[in-house]
Amino acid sequence: PPDGGYGWVVVVSAFIVMGLTAAVLKTFGLFFVEIQQHFDELASITSWITSITIAIFHLGAPVASSLCVKYTHRAVVITGGLLAFSGMALGFLGLNMVWMYATTGFLQGLGISFSWIPAISIVSHYFSKKRALANAIASAGECAFAFTFGPFFQWLIGQYGWKGALLIIGGMQLNICVCGALMRPLKSSCLPETSCSEAETPSSSGSSRRDKEDKSPITHKTFNWMLVRRLEFVLYTIFGILAAMSFFVPPLFLVPLSYSLGVDESWTASLLSILAMVDFAGRLLCGWYANLHVTKTIHLLTMTITLISTSLMLLPLANNYLSLSIFTGFYLFFFGTTVAIHITVLADVVGMSDFDSALGLFMLIRSTGGFVGPPLAGLIVDMAGDYRAGFYMAGATLILSGVFLVILDQFQQRKEKGNQTNTKSEKSTLPYPSLHFLKLQ
């Protein structure tokens, strides 16, 4: 990986893609009331639009990863941009609720999946030493765009109606195609192959081949479903499921909790905007720190998970706007740090040769936590009769997810020690080392 140069163009492109996909999805709730009133439907029926979008986003992840392996990240991102535009542009017609499910639900979700997955994946291919920093900058696009999209989308709806706003947003999402075109595929690090093979000697061919596999950005041409048999990937996926069960809960109950404390609606809206910038700062600072390589990324992730769970346990103690802002600020800051490096840790766990396949499978399996977490937290809140119970549930789940990170780290350390022991034993059993010396002489 070049670890710079044109790679920063790819990072900026991914930054914009994150904003035009994840940030749009995050702020789509502004259309909820408008669509509900237009079709005169129940809130439960209208909410299926967002649910379908989220579901297709996760279910399409393995498909997007597989297409990246077979074709290129550039082609898949451009396809995703066209799909996202089609979903919004066709949603502009607003024929009926089923039509909205198929357009702003299914097509938009597939477009987000085909754009988000390759964009975050190709950044990891372009960077090695600076991978954490590059991923942090790219993921920060979600926060930066979400900060401005809230008031901007509200203005669009007021000026052009919800249908006109959808069409304009779809036009904006065509810029995903431009960003995709800038995501130039990486060539093999050893070109042409004939010169590499000629340079290899019999004694060094094995190590040269291993080095070539490590340096080559893409070594697999098929989607690797066998990752589910690797214990490291399974442990990290279990962490992802439990973390997703927790991460979707605080945004669901934060606003109701603030209202129950008597916080005014305008103050709550300002709180959400400020917290988006806190999330943004957390991602960039953690990416910068991880880039110093002072701490192993998995250790840094375990630390941030511990701090997030602590913040969630303390958040229910808030009794006014100030204390709620402080505790929520800590939560979102450490949440931003986790988002910044968890993809980097995945790359470290599986290796870059299987990273595209791993990212698709990880997103797909992790989605089960996102679907189970909010209903489970809602059930606990109903039983307890207090929104604070949901935050306690989220904190406890995160603590459990951190346990699997510790198990994964211990497993990796034992594996590394075993490999070092085998290497030493192989060197010590080389036949007639003195004869090799005489041959060199």
Side-chain angles (χ1 to χ4, degrees):
D3 257 324
Y6 192 80
W8 294 116
V9 177
V10 176
V11 169
V12 173
S13 300
F15 179 91
I16 297 173
V17 170
M18 296 299 109
L20 295 175
T21 54
V24 170
L25 179 59
K26 182 180 288 187
T27 53
F28 192 78
L30 294 169
F31 292 87
F32 183 88
V33 176
E34 301 292 334
I35 296 175
Q36 181 185 1
Q37 292 178 350
H38 178 81
F39 292 106
D40 194 22
E41 293 286 358
L42 297 173
S44 58
I45 294 177
T46 308
S47 64
W48 273 104
I49 297 176
T50 303
S51 298
I52 291 172
T53 307
I54 296 174
I56 297 302
F57 166 53
H58 287 92
L59 292 174
V63 180
S65 295
S66 180
L67 291 174
C68 287
V69 174
K70 189 173 183 180
Y71 301 103
T72 61
H73 296 79
R74 170 188 281 171
V76 181
V77 172
I78 293 175
T79 303
L82 293 174
L83 287 170
F85 163 73
S86 301
M88 289 296 193
L90 293 174
F92 163 77
L93 300 176
L95 301 180
N96 50 49
M97 191 57 72
V98 176
W99 179 262
M100 300 304 295
Y101 293 161
T103 56
T104 55
F106 181 83
L107 283 178
Q108 180 69 196
L110 197 62
I112 291 175
S113 184
F114 278 32
S115 303
W116 193 94
I117 298 295
I120 204 69
S121 173
I122 195 171
V123 169
S124 294
H125 282 294
Y126 261 90
F127 290 85
S128 177
K129 294 179 181 179
K130 300 177 182 178
R131 185 176 296 150
L133 178 61
N135 279 324
I137 295 173
S139 68
E142 175 186 342
C143 306
F145 278 73
F147 180 76
T148 57
F149 274 178
F152 178 60
F153 286 2
Q154 197 72 58
W155 179 81
L156 285 178
I157 294 172
Q159 291 291 320
Y160 304 101
W162 68 270
K163 291 185 179 182
L166 286 182
L167 184 61
I168 294 172
I169 294 170
M172 292 170 55
Q173 288 183 315
L174 278 176
N175 287 288
I176 294 174
C177 300
V178 179
C179 295
L182 293 172
M183 293 178 180
R184 188 169 63 198
L186 267 175
K187 295 182 180 180
S188 175
S189 60
C190 195
L191 291 176
E193 293 184 3
T194 54
S195 63
C196 294
S197 59
E198 291 171 359
E200 290 180 2
T201 61
S203 60
S204 63
S205 60
S207 60
S208 299
R209 192 179 297 112
R210 283 194 297 270
D211 293 341
K212 183 177 176 181
E213 290 176 355
D214 291 338
K215 293 178 181 177
S216 180
I218 300 175
T219 57
H220 289 275
K221 296 301 180 185
T222 57
F223 193 85
N224 187 7
W225 295 97
M226 292 299 101
L227 283 169
V228 294
R229 294 185 177 181
R230 289 177 56 177
L231 182 58
E232 303 102 311
F233 179 74
V234 171
L235 289 172
Y236 195 70
T237 303
I238 295 174
F239 152 75
I241 294 173
L242 294 172
M245 285 180 64
S246 170
F247 288 156
F248 286 94
V249 172
L252 188 64
F253 296 120
L254 179 60
V255 174
L257 178 63
S258 66
Y259 289 162
S260 67
L261 296 176
V263 179
D264 186 73
E265 293 183 6
S266 59
W267 283 100
T268 302
S270 65
L271 174 64
L272 295 176
S273 298
I274 294 171
L275 294 178
M277 297 310 296
V278 173
D279 185 2
F280 178 83
R283 298 185 190 213
L284 293 183
L285 287 175
C286 184
W288 168 79
Y289 178 77
N291 190 57
L292 299 178
H293 301 287
V294 177
T295 309
K296 287 180 63 176
T297 52
I298 191 170
H299 294 167
L300 186 59
L301 181 60
T302 306
M303 188 187 310
T304 59
I305 289 294
T306 304
L307 293 171
I308 291 176
S309 58
T310 304
S311 301
L312 287 175
M313 290 295 188
L314 294 174
L315 197 147
L317 300 178
N319 54 11
N320 52 42
Y321 175 80
L322 179 60
S323 57
L324 183 66
S325 301
I326 293 173
F327 289 131
T328 309
F330 276 115
Y331 160 72
L332 277 175
F333 179 83
F334 295 123
F335 172 79
T337 61
T338 301
V339 173
I341 60 170
H342 81 287
I343 297 297
T344 304
V345 176
L346 176 63
D348 294 340
V349 169
V350 300
M352 287 310 301
S353 60
D354 289 318
F355 176 70
D356 290 319
S357 302
L359 181 60
L361 285 173
F362 178 75
M363 292 295 295
L364 175 64
I365 300 172
R366 189 189 70 169
S367 66
T368 57
F371 295 139
V372 173
L376 178 60
L379 178 62
I380 294 174
V381 168
D382 291 337
M383 294 173 61
D386 192 343
Y387 289 113
R388 292 178 174 85
F391 293 95
Y392 288 128
M393 170 263 176
T397 307
L398 266 183
I399 292 174
L400 183 60
S401 71
V403 173
F404 283 92
L405 283 180
V406 174
I407 296 174
L408 172 60
D409 181 47
Q410 293 297 318
F411 176 79
Q412 287 184 317
Q413 289 184 13
R414 291 181 181 180
K415 190 175 180 180
E416 290 175 1
K417 290 180 180 179
N419 292 336
Q420 291 176 359
T421 303
N422 292 335
T423 303
K424 290 180 180 179
S425 62
E426 289 176 1
K427 290 181 178 180
S428 62
T429 55
L430 284 175
Y432 308 110
S434 59
L435 293 181
H436 284 284
F437 174 77
L438 291 174
K439 187 176 181 181
L440 290 173
Q441 293 293 326

